[in-house]
Amino acid sequence: MYYSDEIIEEVRSRNDIVDVIGQYVSLKRAGSSYKCCCPFHHEKTPSFSVSRSKQMYHCFGCGAGGNVFTFVMQYENMSFTEAVKYLADRAGITLPEVELTETEKREAGRKAELKEVNRLAAAYFHYLLTRTDRGKIGLKYYKENRCFTDETINKFGLGYADIYADDLYKYLKKKGYSDQIINDAGLVDIDEKRGVHDKFWNRVMVPILDINGKVIAFGGRVLGDAKPKYLNTKETDIFDKSHNIFALNIARRSRRRGMILCEGYMDVISQHQAGFDNAIASLGTAFTLGQASLIKRYTNEVYLAYDSDGAGRAATMKAIGILRSMDMLQRVIDLKPYKDPDEFLKNLGTEAYEERIRDAIPGRMFEVEHLSEIYNMNDPEEKTRFVNETAKLLCGIRDVSERSNYIDAVSRKYIIDRELLKQVVTKYGMVGISSSSVADEAAQKAQEKEERSREHSKKKDPNQTSEEILLTWYVNRPQLFEKLNGIISTDDFVDEKVHFIAEKIFEQYKNEGEVSPARIINCFTDADEQRIAANIMSNEFNSLSGPEEESKALTDIVKRVKTASIDYRLRQPGADIISIAREKNGIQKLRIIL
């Protein structure tokens, strides 16, 4: 969808970035900017800065940054067009009806085709399960092993992939779909030995739907001893595991309090059948910040119902940390003596499950319970270590009343003198040793893993770094456009991405006499591109001790950029080596006085 620059700028200018971000997180004034703990990664010391003058934000911890559109895109998991519509509605702006560009039409058509081929596959799997003799083995599994009713099977569109490894492929080919689109949808694999063959066969199938109820992927459980036991669709142009939640399209409409997060599809389906239609699950992967952000659009309270075994408890600890980093309430449902919600419901029923939900303990109490299992509470020295570790955990609670309530609860449950525990909590709080709990550490590791997986190589050569720093000088010292006229031009920014940003900055100053970083961000519709541009333009400019130090620093950075630019030109075919070398010698004598 294409909107004019004028429309986009009007939407941006009518949505003050401090007001918008302030709706999601608690901002505190810090000099000329506002700060808080970053909503995109787990941290204890605020490194997320929002500038009202620049209308931009930047996290000095994880590198997230951009303007108001970027924030909404990242936080709400929206496309650029969706963010424009969302903010236009917030500001009471009626957007004009506009046509899609040719590129957008092709991309929209391709995604629609991917969803359609997935829909047909889901319908075929469901037909095999419910209408053919071939599907009886799958139907037996669902009805006898899982105790699913016909109503549940139809509600979730459950299906069966036949024992033949080319069954679905042949069906979709008859429907007129190409090998390319079937492969891009993640429904087949292509290799030299076997050719084209189905991704899923001899499995009971669970369709995965997006928030709008469109089939975007599948999860399949094998019938037999083959490996892997559970298999999910690979990531495609319409399916991103880290930003989708199973059954969220149903759970978001539930009238029940909060959402119940568990590990597997079958656990979710069992709970929905029992009336707990607020149950959801992550998609065959560890719980992510992106998934937490998606859930937060509909509720701020999450009940964790992961498996009660060691792996499940570890996953629970990770989820607690991630949810806490998003300022979401976390409670843990005790499933013992059973492993998962499915087993619990089969053995104890819905009333007992309702009671366990009511008795679900807060995330911090679950962490304390974890500590009590690590230490021998009958050993005085071990219990002392438990008290100290628990105090470190509790002193991280900022709210005074909440911290006091936790001290009360822990002292009662584990028979610890309340005043003693309070003193130890205060001691650690005064020296700044707040909790580095298992959940917090797990959340940090999860965030780091996400950042590593989604970022491209960040290694830069020295001249690229210098180019970015010089642009920061220009943004913060607009007088440099005149001061460096004839010395630096946009041609001296040789890195492709930096060069484009430099052109926009110089053009804006030439036409308007000022620089508006937030407006320049509007030139980018891709979130990653916006982040790169934001990282260049939103860096805070640290003033040096005086004009002399600033002049020296600026001279050094200009020399580095100009020298790298000259060296680049020398490497080009047909370069005038003599005149360029003379220019390089002249640069060494340069001295800029501020």
Side-chain angles (χ1 to χ4, degrees):
M1 188 72 71
Y2 172 78
Y3 292 109
S4 68
D5 293 343
E6 291 76 17
I7 289 293
I8 291 173
E9 177 55 21
E10 181 184 1
V11 173
R12 187 197 65 76
S13 63
R14 300 243 318 250
N15 284 276
D16 182 85
I17 194 166
V18 174
D19 295 339
V20 172
I21 295 180
Q23 293 177 180
Y24 296 93
V25 295
S26 179
L27 293 172
K28 292 185 178 180
R29 189 70 178 261
S32 60
S33 61
Y34 295 79
K35 288 193 173 183
C36 68
C37 287
C38 180
F40 303 120
H41 84 286
H42 181 66
E43 63 177 5
K44 297 178 183 177
T45 304
S47 61
F48 187 87
S49 178
V50 185
S51 170
R52 179 164 267 153
S53 60
K54 290 183 180 180
Q55 285 295 301
M56 295 185 70
Y57 70 92
H58 182 67
C59 176
F60 296 92
C62 69
N67 63 6
V68 69
F69 293 123
T70 321
F71 181 86
V72 171
M73 289 167 67
Q74 190 172 1
Y75 195 94
E76 295 282 8
N77 190 30
M78 291 181 175
S79 67
F80 179 74
T81 301
E82 289 171 333
V84 172
K85 290 179 178 178
Y86 172 82
L87 291 170
D89 184 61
R90 180 182 181 276
I93 298 172
T94 302
L95 294 172
E97 294 292 328
V98 293
E99 290 291 326
L100 293 174
T101 65
E102 288 303 316
T103 300
E104 288 172 330
K105 285 180 181 178
R106 285 194 298 271
E107 182 62 21
R110 173 179 156 72
K111 288 185 176 181
E113 191 174 18
L114 288 172
K115 290 180 180 179
E116 178 61 17
V117 76
N118 271 290
R119 185 192 69 79
L120 282 174
Y124 184 64
F125 290 144
H126 185 65
Y127 170 78
L128 289 179
L129 179 78
T130 59
R131 303 288 183 87
T132 72
D133 289 339
R134 290 184 288 165
K136 284 183 177 179
I137 183 175
L139 201 60
K140 180 180 179 181
Y141 171 81
Y142 276 134
K143 288 193 169 186
E144 295 184 9
N145 293 56
R146 292 293 178 176
C147 302
F148 290 164
T149 64
D150 289 337
E151 182 183 358
T152 296
I153 289 170
N154 291 327
K155 176 182 177 181
F156 283 90
L158 303 181
Y160 169 70
D162 210 346
I163 58 174
Y164 304 106
D166 60 353
D167 186 58
L168 178 66
Y169 172 67
K170 288 180 177 178
Y171 171 76
L172 293 175
K173 287 294 288 184
K174 287 180 182 178
K175 291 292 183 180
Y177 288 95
S178 67
D179 289 1
Q180 186 66 55
I181 200 71
I182 300 172
N183 180 60
D184 289 349
L187 295 170
V188 296
D189 286 326
I190 303 176
D191 59 54
E192 293 182 2
K193 288 185 178 181
R194 298 176 61 193
V196 183
H197 55 278
D198 290 351
K199 178 81 172 180
F200 303 98
W201 54 279
N202 194 32
R203 291 177 182 271
V204 285
M205 301 298 294
V206 179
I208 298 168
L209 280 58
D210 64 14
I211 198 67
N212 298 311
K214 303 294 184 182
V215 182
I216 56 174
F218 292 92
R221 187 201 187 280
V222 73
L223 294 177
D225 299 325
K227 300 292 183 180
K229 185 177 180 180
Y230 287 95
L231 182 65
N232 297 308
T233 300
K234 67 180 182 181
E235 294 204 347
T236 68
D237 288 345
I238 60 172
F239 177 52
D240 178 354
K241 292 180 183 179
S242 64
H243 287 85
N244 280 283
I245 293 283
F246 180 68
L248 186 59
N249 60 305
I250 301 172
R252 66 175 177 149
R253 298 188 178 93
S254 174
R255 294 185 178 182
R256 285 183 169 273
R257 177 178 174 178
M259 290 190 186
I260 304 172
L261 179 63
C262 46
E263 293 185 63
Y265 312 116
M266 302 304 177
D267 286 332
V268 170
I269 297 170
S270 293
Q271 289 177 85
H272 279 247
Q273 181 169 278
F276 302 94
D277 61 352
N278 58 336
I280 54 176
S282 52
L283 296 161
T285 183
F287 187 58
T288 68
L289 282 163
Q291 291 170 326
S293 178
L294 190 58
I295 295 170
K296 193 172 182 179
R297 292 168 65 173
Y298 305 102
T299 183
N300 196 50
E301 188 169 6
V302 175
Y303 292 82
L304 295 165
Y306 284 2
D307 290 358
S308 58
D309 59 11
R313 289 177 69 82
T316 299
M317 298 296 283
K318 291 179 181 178
I320 288 171
I322 290 172
L323 292 167
R324 182 182 296 147
S325 72
M326 297 289 290
D327 291 325
M328 299 172 72
L329 299 175
Q330 341 89 41
R331 292 184 176 277
V332 182
I333 300 173
D334 181 10
L335 298 172
K336 294 176 183 177
Y338 300 102
K339 180 184 177 183
D340 54 41
D342 183 39
E343 285 187 8
F344 187 99
L345 286 165
K346 283 186 175 73
N347 287 278
L348 296 182
T350 58
E351 289 186 12
Y353 197 59
E354 286 273 21
E355 187 176 342
R356 292 294 178 97
I357 292 173
R358 285 195 299 270
D359 294 340
I361 64 173
R364 287 194 191 274
M365 288 302 291
F366 183 83
E367 293 172 290
V368 174
E369 183 180 290
H370 175 76
L371 288 173
S372 72
E373 294 171 357
I374 294 175
Y375 298 107
N376 180 358
M377 302 298 281
N378 294 317
D379 183 305
E381 293 184 0
E382 288 272 297
K383 189 167 184 177
T384 300
R385 293 177 65 187
F386 165 77
V387 170
N388 281 287
E389 292 303 315
T390 299
K392 291 176 186 178
L393 179 66
L394 299 185
C395 76
I397 302 173
R398 296 177 184 176
D399 185 272
V400 177
S401 297
E402 183 182 354
R403 186 167 62 244
S404 178
N405 290 335
Y406 269 101
I407 290 172
D408 284 342
V410 172
S411 61
R412 283 196 305 269
K413 183 171 183 178
Y414 297 101
I415 315 175
I416 302 170
D417 182 85
R418 187 196 186 282
E419 288 305 312
L420 171 64
L421 181 57
K422 181 180 178 182
Q423 288 175 18
V424 181
V425 170
T426 302
K427 179 188 74 173
Y428 283 117
M430 290 179 66
V431 297
I433 305 178
S434 60
S435 75
S436 179
S437 70
V438 174
D440 291 334
E441 291 173 0
Q444 180 68 33
K445 289 179 181 177
Q447 169 65 15
E448 290 171 356
K449 183 178 180 181
E450 282 188 58
E451 289 170 1
R452 286 196 301 270
S453 66
R454 70 170 177 255
E455 288 184 0
H456 299 297
S457 172
K458 286 190 171 182
K459 292 182 179 179
K460 301 179 179 180
D461 56 62
N463 67 290
Q464 285 179 303
T465 303
S466 299
E467 289 178 16
E468 295 174 5
I469 293 172
L470 183 55
L471 281 183
T472 299
W473 275 85
Y474 272 107
V475 170
N476 288 276
R477 296 282 195 277
Q479 63 269 32
L480 292 181
F481 287 96
E482 304 300 331
K483 193 79 174 178
L484 300 179
N485 188 27
I487 300 173
I488 291 289
S489 72
T490 55
D491 290 339
D492 292 311
F493 297 89
V494 297
D495 176 76
E496 186 177 346
K497 290 187 177 67
V498 182
H499 177 80
F500 180 73
I501 296 168
E503 283 186 329
K504 293 297 179 183
I505 290 175
F506 276 65
E507 180 185 351
Q508 191 178 82
Y509 182 81
K510 180 181 179 181
N511 294 335
E512 303 175 28
E514 64 178 3
V515 177
S516 173
R519 280 222 309 278
I520 291 171
I521 295 292
N522 291 345
C523 300
F524 303 92
T525 58
D526 179 80
D528 283 339
E529 291 178 345
Q530 289 187 349
R531 178 181 52 78
I532 292 169
N535 287 346
I536 291 173
M537 293 186 293
S538 61
N539 284 329
E540 292 185 351
F541 185 84
N542 296 318
S543 297
L544 300 173
S545 58
E548 185 175 343
E549 286 293 319
E550 288 195 359
S551 295
K552 183 179 183 303
L554 178 60
T555 300
D556 289 343
I557 200 68
V558 169
K559 282 183 178 180
R560 288 202 295 272
V561 171
K562 195 69 180 178
T563 299
S565 171
I566 290 170
D567 290 342
Y568 174 78
R569 282 184 281 146
L570 280 171
R571 294 193 297 269
Q572 304 310 303
D576 186 345
I577 296 176
I578 296 176
S579 61
I580 295 176
R582 190 180 298 119
E583 183 182 355
K584 186 174 184 178
N585 291 332
I587 286 296
Q588 301 307 315
K589 302 174 184 178
L590 179 69
R591 177 165 172 74
I592 302 166
I593 306 296
L594 288 175

